[in-house]
Amino acid sequence: MSSNIENFLDQPYEAGFTSDVEMDSFEPGIDEETIRKISAIKDEPQFLLDFRLKAFEHWKTMEEPDWANVSYDKPNFDDIIYYSAPKEKPKKDSLDEVDPAILETYEKLGIPLQEQKMLQNVAVDAVFDSVSVATTFKKQLAEAGVIFCSVNEAVEEYPEIVEKYLGSVVPYTDNFYAALNSAVFSDGSFVYVPKGVTSPMELSTYFRINTQDTGQFERTLIVCEEGSYVSYLEGCTAPQFDTNQLHAAVVELVALEDAEIKYSTVQNWYAGDEDGKGGIYNFVTKRGVCEGDNSKISWTQVETGSAVTWKYPSCILKGDNSVGEFYSVALTNHHQQADTGTKMVHIGENTKSTIISKGISAGVSQNSYRGLVKMMPGAEGARNYSECDSMLIGDRCGAHTFPYIDVRNPSAQVEHEASTSRIGEDQMFYFLQRGIDEEDAISMIISGFCKDVFHELPMEFAVEARKLLGIKLEGSVG
Amino acid sequence: MLLEVKDLHVRAGDEPILKGVNLEVNAGEVHAIMGPNGSGKSTLAKVLAGHPAYEVTSGSLHFEGDDLSELDTDERARAGLFLAFQYPVEIPGVSNAQFMRQAYNERRKAQGKDELDPLQFDDHIRERMKIVDMDPKFLDRSVNVDFSGGEKKRNEILQMAVLEPTLAVLDETDSGLDIDALRTVAGGINSLSGEDNAVVLVTHYQRILDYVKPDYVHVMTDGQIVKSGDKQLAIDLEEHGYDWVTEEQGAA
Ligand SMILES: Nc1ncnc2c1ncn2[C@@H]1O[C@H](COP(=O)(O)OP(=O)(O)OP(=O)(O)O)[C@@H](O)[C@H]1O
Ligand SMILES: [Mg+2]
């Protein structure tokens, strides 16, 4: 029966195709020259080259971290291609010069970029390997005063904003992968919402790794001025290769007084095959700072892909009454390993954070929640509520919870709840005996289990996420 | 004939459990199966429903003339075969109402009838809940999660009331019910049985048979039905115990 479970799980990875696009790629390997070349191609200002070089010098002194509950063959940094971009350089305002194979790729992934076919009310920035190839709805956004463009473009057009905030939330000294990213990042998305503006639509970046052996090092920077609001979503897929590819991104969010940023992720990088061959190493640093009073940052993530995930979207709650939220569904199957969670650092008075983490493990996968709640001495009246639930499907997988709590203010309150449940043959038999087939049973179980997180996703993406989890889990139960 | 079990042999792994079971159930009948712990009663019930842990090594199972070996568990259920579990499982995160609506609509679809939307179903299920005297607050709770033993049993009969099966196999539904609950649940079973359907009750106690009157009583020991009779058999068993049957068997 358990083999039946597994058969059902073996659903093909629909995003696993490769596109034939002519690329300009560097030779594999990294040294100071690589970094200067990246910077030169982009014609970057001096401050950025300096930032990269300092980061590179620092990176060389660092060791790859090994505290996470994952095991994998460490990447060989000399074998990675650090820059790869489509040959045809697209003009910023038109899709005419974008390689049709790229447009076709996004269309196949359900993210059409052409004017007539664009998603309603969602502006998309499409990042293909190392660079942004297109951004939709730019004009409409500009009319509202919202800047949404690639980081490269932002460096050209708004260097003062970039210089002010880049590395301000995640300094290049932060960790091994953040340092590497700071040295070699190639592109990413940039969002700036001016004072008092509510973005008229959802903003979304779709990351696609296409070239084998390419590392993707993108950087996202979102700045929300006083009283502004934006909802941002990122999606990601990659072709099926039998080698591992490195994805080491950095995301920085800054919310000033009364501002709110809602950041949602549906991560579906290629996870490797059933035997654990291939797949993406997803080593990502995501952090937001609630700089101003009454500001709010909310992370929602649905993590379904990658061979190894190492990711802790965090909130630094500086402003008084600021709010941090983390809603997460992390699903692992086969040989996938995920070590994910969040850090909530309470600095301001009456700051509040909520952590809802749902881990689903199937196959022989390992799924860990790792979270830190830190109440600094000044965090008078601060509160945290954490809930970490694990669901095990079958009996060969593992779920682990590592909550760290550090309270330095006696008035602060921290509440933590955890639960583990198992879906096995008996539950599945119960559904079947009532005439409900396996697919519907899994989708009911998962929707129920993940309800509190799906509620937080923008509508269309909630539907998408539910479907994705269903596909990933088919056949995983007796 | 609704159900025909012929010389059924069943194994779990290498362990033979059922060793030649014969049973015939017609529409309109109530059958009781009694027998000592571990004799194979639940196994028979689960094999009828198609549980994957068991392998039919010989013999046959037919439901309304169809060979059950050709139907998957969910297909058997949609065809009208219902099993009230001896140990109903908990399903966290799925509400009782949602679960039963899905089950109900699957059965409706299989019968070529229209599905009910959540509001229509809510009316329907509240009506059905009266049959087993269950509080509507159980609709919003996760299926069986933190239900008391008796509540779980009552919830099984509620599902029977919702799904209106052709053949209901009730595995020790009476165990763990208090005296009043037993009467209510038995009343529910009676109101659900009619000319066109049948009930097979697995029980250890003759008490429930005071309320749900069986047409036949069977005794199972060591994977076989060794004696069949009418209601009097249950009364005799209560008095003499199972040794009496085995001894009688030995003597015969
Ligand atoms: N999946 C299984 N694997 C191994 N042995 C099993 C399995 N299922 C049942 N058995 C064994 O088969 C025998 C019959 O079990 P079953 O549950 O059918 O008994 P029962 O008549 O329902 O007993 P009770 O009155 O205690 O409920 C028992 O000895 C049990 O241990
Ligand atoms: Mg039993």
Side-chain angles (χ1 to χ4, degrees):
Chain A
M1 195 57 191
S2 75
S3 73
N4 189 3
I5 299 178
E6 258 116 63
N7 287 344
F8 208 53
L9 268 172
D10 294 340
Q11 289 288 316
Y13 178 69
E14 284 184 10
F17 61 90
T18 329
S19 313
D20 199 4
V21 176
E22 256 195 283
M23 302 294 283
D24 261 333
S25 301
F26 283 13
E27 289 297 309
I30 182 168
D31 57 17
E32 195 180 310
E33 207 35 51
T34 319
I35 288 151
R36 288 185 181 279
K37 254 167 75 187
I38 294 174
S39 191
I41 286 185
K42 298 171 183 296
D43 212 2
E44 285 176 352
Q46 191 63 37
F47 83 85
L48 202 50
L49 176 61
D50 293 345
F51 177 80
R52 289 178 183 279
L53 291 173
K54 275 188 290 185
F56 181 61
E57 283 309 311
H58 189 77
W59 179 69
K60 286 193 293 187
T61 68
M62 299 176 94
E63 298 258 340
E64 206 173 341
D66 56 7
W67 45 263
N69 188 26
V70 294
S71 66
Y72 58 95
D73 292 331
K74 300 257 177 321
N76 184 341
F77 294 95
D78 291 330
D79 291 345
I80 293 172
I81 297 171
Y82 289 86
Y83 185 83
S84 170
K87 264 219 170 83
E88 305 258 347
K89 216 174 171 230
K91 272 224 181 70
K92 289 298 169 197
D93 296 317
S94 129
L95 290 171
D96 296 350
E97 290 171 41
V98 178
D99 189 326
I102 294 180
L103 296 180
E104 208 178 291
T105 303
Y106 283 94
E107 190 153 353
K108 248 164 117 176
L109 294 167
I111 321 282
L113 301 172
Q114 294 93 325
E115 194 88 48
Q116 331 69 283
K117 301 181 189 159
M118 287 187 300
L119 300 174
Q120 280 300 310
N121 232 27
V122 182
V124 178
D125 185 26
V127 177
F128 196 79
D129 283 347
S130 301
V131 297
S132 165
V133 291
T135 310
T136 63
F137 286 115
K138 265 169 103 166
K139 238 180 79 202
Q140 289 88 330
L141 288 168
E143 277 162 19
V146 176
I147 302 170
F148 180 36
C149 63
S150 71
V151 165
N152 285 340
E153 206 180 335
V155 170
E156 254 170 62
E157 309 274 333
Y158 318 98
E160 3 31 86
I161 308 180
V162 176
E163 185 168 7
K164 181 168 176 192
Y165 290 108
L166 190 82
S168 71
V169 188
V170 180
Y172 63 78
T173 49
D174 193 78
N175 69 71
F176 184 83
Y177 286 104
L180 178 61
N181 174 288
S182 302
V184 302
F185 76 90
S186 40
D187 208 347
S189 295
F190 174 80
V191 177
Y192 178 82
V193 190
K195 192 167 163 180
V197 171
T198 293
S199 174
M201 58 183 82
E202 308 265 350
L203 307 186
S204 149
T205 300
Y206 197 91
F207 294 101
R208 174 77 178 168
I209 295 179
N210 190 56
T211 311
Q212 188 160 14
D213 302 325
T214 306
Q216 191 167 42
F217 304 96
E218 87 276 358
R219 240 185 134 95
T220 300
L221 176 60
I222 301 180
V223 179
C224 265
E225 293 281 0
E226 229 171 274
S228 66
Y229 170 84
V230 72
S231 166
Y232 178 92
L233 184 120
E234 64 169 7
C236 16
T237 57
Q240 268 165 281
F241 293 125
D242 56 7
T243 51
N244 298 104
Q245 290 148 285
L246 178 61
H247 173 251
V250 170
V251 175
E252 297 178 283
L253 312 182
V254 180
L256 299 180
E257 201 173 318
D258 293 316
E260 179 177 348
I261 302 176
K262 188 172 168 55
Y263 193 107
S264 317
T265 305
V266 175
Q267 188 262 109
N268 186 24
W269 293 119
Y270 178 53
D273 67 12
E274 300 107 80
D275 302 320
K277 205 165 164 44
I280 301 287
Y281 290 160
N282 190 31
F283 302 145
V284 172
T285 307
K286 289 184 166 173
R287 194 175 304 152
V289 57
C290 284
E291 193 68 54
D293 293 350
N294 312 313
S295 56
K296 177 173 174 185
I297 289 180
S298 178
W299 298 100
T300 306
Q301 59 172 22
V302 176
E303 301 282 316
T304 68
S306 300
V308 182
T309 295
W310 179 99
K311 177 182 171 191
Y312 316 91
S314 303
C315 299
I316 313 291
L317 304 172
K318 267 196 201 161
D320 291 345
N321 309 312
S322 62
V323 175
E325 293 175 337
F326 175 73
Y327 297 96
S328 169
V329 168
L331 176 143
T332 53
N333 194 1
H334 299 309
H335 290 263
Q336 279 178 279
Q337 306 174 64
D339 192 300
T340 182
T342 184
K343 283 187 250 178
M344 293 291 175
V345 180
H346 294 249
I347 299 171
E349 287 179 15
N350 297 313
T351 45
K352 225 170 79 185
S353 65
T354 304
I355 299 172
I356 307 282
S357 160
K358 307 281 179 177
I360 304 166
S361 340
V364 291
S365 67
Q366 296 296 328
N367 202 327
S368 303
Y369 167 81
R370 186 182 305 275
L372 169 70
V373 177
K374 192 168 186 171
M375 301 292 189
M376 300 301 276
E380 199 63 26
R383 278 178 297 156
N384 161 268
Y385 173 76
S386 304
E387 186 184 315
C388 301
D389 299 317
S390 310
M391 180 176 281
L392 298 162
I393 297 183
D395 51 16
R396 297 181 303 150
C397 50
H400 317 272
T401 307
F402 305 99
Y404 306 93
I405 295 169
D406 180 358
V407 179
R408 302 182 190 178
N409 181 311
S411 71
Q413 289 173 34
V414 177
E415 204 181 323
H416 181 91
E417 286 182 17
S419 78
T420 303
S421 49
R422 189 182 291 277
I423 295 297
E425 211 169 63
D426 286 344
Q427 266 105 349
M428 195 44 66
F429 185 63
Y430 198 74
F431 275 95
L432 293 171
Q433 209 303 303
R434 298 303 186 245
I436 301 170
D437 69 23
E438 185 151 355
E439 209 178 311
D440 287 337
I442 290 175
S443 113
M444 287 173 83
I445 292 169
I446 296 299
S447 302
F449 183 66
C450 303
K451 200 164 48 201
D452 297 344
V453 176
F454 287 166
H455 271 322
E456 298 298 322
L457 284 175
M459 195 45 176
E460 313 87 280
F461 300 116
V463 175
E464 201 52 41
R466 201 168 293 142
K467 228 167 54 193
L468 189 57
L469 292 182
I471 291 170
K472 291 259 161 176
L473 280 175
E474 271 176 32
S476 61
V477 196
Chain B
M1 200 179 303
L2 270 190
L3 178 72
E4 185 180 32
V5 180
K6 261 196 191 149
D7 194 28
L8 183 70
H9 287 73
V10 167
R11 272 198 322 220
D14 290 334
E15 193 66 33
I17 298 176
L18 300 184
K19 302 163 184 170
V21 175
N22 291 291
L23 181 66
E24 290 181 3
V25 178
N26 292 296
E29 294 175 352
V30 174
H31 291 242
I33 300 180
M34 306 184 80
N37 294 134
S39 56
K41 304 179 297 295
S42 295
T43 301
L44 175 61
K46 286 190 269 186
V47 168
L48 289 175
H51 196 287
Y54 304 98
E55 187 196 346
V56 175
T57 50
S58 67
S60 66
L61 285 166
H62 285 85
F63 178 62
E64 294 189 299
D66 293 327
D67 184 352
L68 279 183
S69 69
E70 283 167 15
L71 296 181
D72 290 336
T73 299
D74 51 332
E75 293 170 323
R76 297 181 195 195
R78 291 193 292 268
L81 197 150
F82 178 87
L83 170 59
F85 288 81
Q86 183 174 1
Y87 304 110
V89 296
E90 304 191 350
I91 303 172
V94 178
S95 80
N96 222 8
Q98 189 195 1
F99 180 75
M100 285 190 222
R101 186 168 75 88
Q102 184 80 25
Y104 179 77
N105 281 336
E106 292 300 339
R107 175 116 164 93
R108 298 270 293 189
K109 260 192 285 183
Q111 292 172 318
K113 295 184 191 162
D114 284 344
E115 297 176 43
L116 295 191
D117 66 31
L119 287 177
Q120 293 169 318
F121 183 73
D122 191 62
D123 291 342
H124 177 68
I125 193 163
R126 278 165 194 271
E127 213 38 61
R128 305 311 276 175
M129 285 181 108
K130 291 179 187 157
I131 296 176
V132 284
D133 193 19
M134 230 170 129
D135 193 310
K137 74 178 185 212
F138 286 97
L139 288 176
D140 294 331
R141 287 179 54 179
S142 293
V143 179
N144 294 326
V145 174
D146 299 325
F147 284 26
S148 76
E151 287 163 354
K152 284 182 183 166
K153 296 302 175 76
R154 214 182 268 238
N155 201 37
E156 292 293 288
I157 301 306
L158 171 61
Q159 295 181 55
M160 173 183 168
V162 168
L163 297 174
E164 301 184 85
T166 322
L167 176 68
V169 181
L170 312 180
D171 193 358
E172 293 199 29
T173 301
D174 54 336
S175 304
L177 290 178
D178 67 44
I179 306 164
D180 293 339
L182 179 69
R183 200 175 300 133
T184 313
V185 165
I189 297 168
N190 282 331
S191 75
L192 294 168
S193 44
E195 287 296 290
D196 302 325
N197 57 29
V199 175
V200 176
L201 282 174
V202 173
T203 181
H204 285 295
Y205 308 105
Q206 97 87 26
R207 203 179 47 196
I208 190 172
L209 305 179
D210 287 340
Y211 301 107
V212 184
K213 302 266 186 297
D215 300 294
Y216 300 94
V217 174
H218 310 279
V219 181
M220 181 175 267
T221 57
D222 194 23
Q224 282 181 317
I225 289 181
V226 292
K227 195 171 173 67
S228 298
D230 58 14
K231 178 151 194 305
Q232 186 58 39
L233 179 56
I235 297 168
D236 294 342
L237 281 171
E238 188 104 333
E239 204 163 307
H240 305 295
Y242 292 115
D243 283 349
W244 164 71
V245 183
T246 359
E247 276 159 26
E248 203 180 54
Q249 283 293 112

